[in-house]
């Protein structure tokens, strides 16, 4: 992991540096292509659309299999409600980790920072577990991931609050849910996107889950205003996509503004 990351980091940094010397436009074109592959939007939408379909078909066996592909918890004993809840929770976390996070680090440091972020994020998701096998090795990956996700998780929560009206929520109630529940999560960051999605959708996350055959109770996040339904997955994806486009549009606007400021100064 470390060797692969260092090779990728310095190779991409060197490539972008020389491309910039040839032409800034060529650098932006190359960076845009790489950023497209680092953002997992298409994959996420495809996975959760499969889950939505299985819920609609009431196929519990296939549904458990599909959900197991996007969560680390055991799905073998879950019913439809818990499978739907786990899916919506996963969309909330993936919006921060897989979409907003890479865009944020692209904005502040370009592709090399995106590589750093994704390398740490991948390490956390593969070895950042509190069990006998991974605890020592995964500890630092998990902590570094917490540091890198501190700002993106809160940016995600803010963006979801702004666009919550698109799924029937509102800024005030979503913000109140974030303030009340975000820090109840075990993770210092995950509670922010989860509480934002819970507030916008009028759902309650958390409860009993199974990790590595151990029963774990996660604190409740959000207030239960309705039961989980298949449509909640569609609405969660809607929040995810719009919040990502919102941030992308904001980044492009800032870049254009900086370009004209520099051009005006020169």
């Amino acid at each position: 992991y470390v060797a692969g990351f260092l090779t990728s980091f310095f190779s991409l940094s060197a490539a972008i540096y020389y491309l910039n010397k040839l032409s800034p436009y060529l650098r932006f074109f190359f960076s845009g292509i790489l950023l497209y592959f680092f953002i997992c939007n298409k994959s996420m939408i495809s996975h959760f659309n499969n889950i939505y379909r299985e819920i609609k078909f009431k196929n519990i066996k296939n549904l458990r299999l599909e959900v197991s592909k996007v969560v680390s918890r055991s799905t073998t004993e879950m019913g439809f409600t818990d499978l739907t809840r786990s899916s919506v929770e996963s969309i909330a976390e993936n919006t921060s980790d897989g979409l907003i996070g890479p865009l944020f680090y692209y904005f502040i440091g370009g592709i090399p920072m995106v590589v750093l972020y994704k390398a740490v994020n991948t390490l956390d998701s593969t070895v950042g577990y509190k069990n006998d096998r991974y605890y020592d090795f995964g500890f630092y990956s998990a902590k570094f991931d917490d540091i890198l996700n501190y700002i993106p998780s809160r940016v995600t929560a803010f963006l979801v609050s702004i666009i919550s009206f698109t799924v029937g929520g509102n800024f005030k109630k979503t913000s109140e849910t974030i303030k009340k529940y975000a820090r109840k999560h075990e993770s210092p960051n995950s509670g922010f996107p989860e509480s934002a999605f819970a507030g916008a959708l009028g759902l309650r996350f958390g409860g009993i889950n199974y990790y590595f055959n151990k029963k774990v109770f996660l604190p409740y996040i959000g207030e239960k205003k309705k039961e989980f339904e298949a449509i909640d997955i569609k609405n969660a994806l809607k929040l995810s996509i719009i919040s990502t486009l919102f941030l992308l549009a904001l980044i492009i606007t800032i870049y254009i503004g900086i370009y004209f400021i520099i051009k005006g100064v020169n």
Side-chain angles (χ1 to χ4, degrees), residues 7-154:
T7 301
S8 300
F9 183 83
F10 288 113
S11 297
L12 286 170
S13 298
I16 292 170
Y17 172 76
Y18 285 110
L19 282 172
N20 190 54
K21 292 190 71 174
L22 291 173
S23 169
Y25 298 106
L26 190 60
R27 184 198 71 182
F28 280 117
F29 176 74
F30 180 67
S31 297
I33 292 174
L34 288 176
L35 183 63
Y36 171 80
F37 288 107
F38 279 120
I39 293 177
C40 61
N41 196 29
K42 183 177 179 181
S43 175
M44 187 179 79
I45 292 172
S46 176
H47 278 302
F48 287 105
N49 276 333
N50 289 339
I51 291 171
Y52 174 79
R53 185 184 65 248
E54 298 302 339
I55 294 174
K56 296 290 288 184
F57 289 161
K58 300 293 183 181
N59 192 328
I60 190 71
K61 184 178 180 180
N62 287 350
L63 179 58
R64 286 170 176 163
L65 177 61
E66 291 296 331
V67 175
S68 70
K69 296 176 183 178
V70 295
V71 300
S72 58
R73 65 195 68 170
S74 173
T75 62
T76 54
E77 301 299 325
M78 285 186 181
F80 284 104
T81 297
D82 285 334
L83 288 165
T84 306
R85 170 178 61 83
S86 298
S87 299
V88 179
E89 289 174 350
S90 181
I91 292 172
E93 287 196 48
N94 276 289
T95 300
S96 179
D97 295 349
L99 300 174
I100 302 300
L103 281 175
F104 173 78
Y105 281 104
Y106 179 78
F107 173 66
I108 67 171
I111 290 297
M113 281 300 297
V114 177
V115 174
L116 170 63
Y117 175 77
K118 293 298 289 184
V120 173
N121 196 248
T122 301
L123 277 169
D124 178 56
S125 63
T126 52
V127 298
Y129 296 107
K130 293 182 178 179
N131 57 35
D132 294 337
R133 182 178 182 183
Y134 294 122
Y135 190 87
D136 291 334
F137 183 64
F139 177 82
Y140 295 100
S141 300
K143 293 303 178 185
F144 196 12
D145 183 73
D146 287 343
I147 293 171
L148 291 182
N149 272 307
Y150 185 87
I151 296 177
S153 64
R154 287 151 177 81

Side-chain angles (χ1 to χ4, degrees), residues 181-242:
Y181 292 99
R183 289 179 173 81
K184 291 184 180 294
H185 199 287
E186 181 183 20
S187 164
N189 300 319
S190 297
F192 284 86
E194 285 196 22
S195 58
F197 273 72
L201 297 170
L203 298 170
R204 186 178 71 178
F205 297 156
I208 296 174
N209 293 302
Y210 289 86
Y211 294 91
F212 302 102
N213 299 318
K214 291 183 179 180
K215 185 177 180 180
V216 178
F217 177 81
L218 299 179
Y220 289 121
I221 293 178
E223 297 175 5
K224 186 177 180 180
K225 297 181 180 179
K226 60 187 284 294
E227 297 293 337
F228 281 92
E229 302 174 277
I231 193 63
D232 293 322
I233 292 177
K234 287 291 188 180
N235 284 334
L237 282 174
K238 187 176 182 179
L239 284 173
S240 179
I241 294 167
I242 296 176

Side-chain angles (χ1 to χ4, degrees), residues 153-171:
S153 64
R154 287 151 177 81
V155 170
T156 303
F158 179 67
L159 292 174
V160 171
S161 297
I162 293 174
I163 64 166
S164 58
F165 70 92
T166 61
V167 293
N170 65 69
F171 179 82

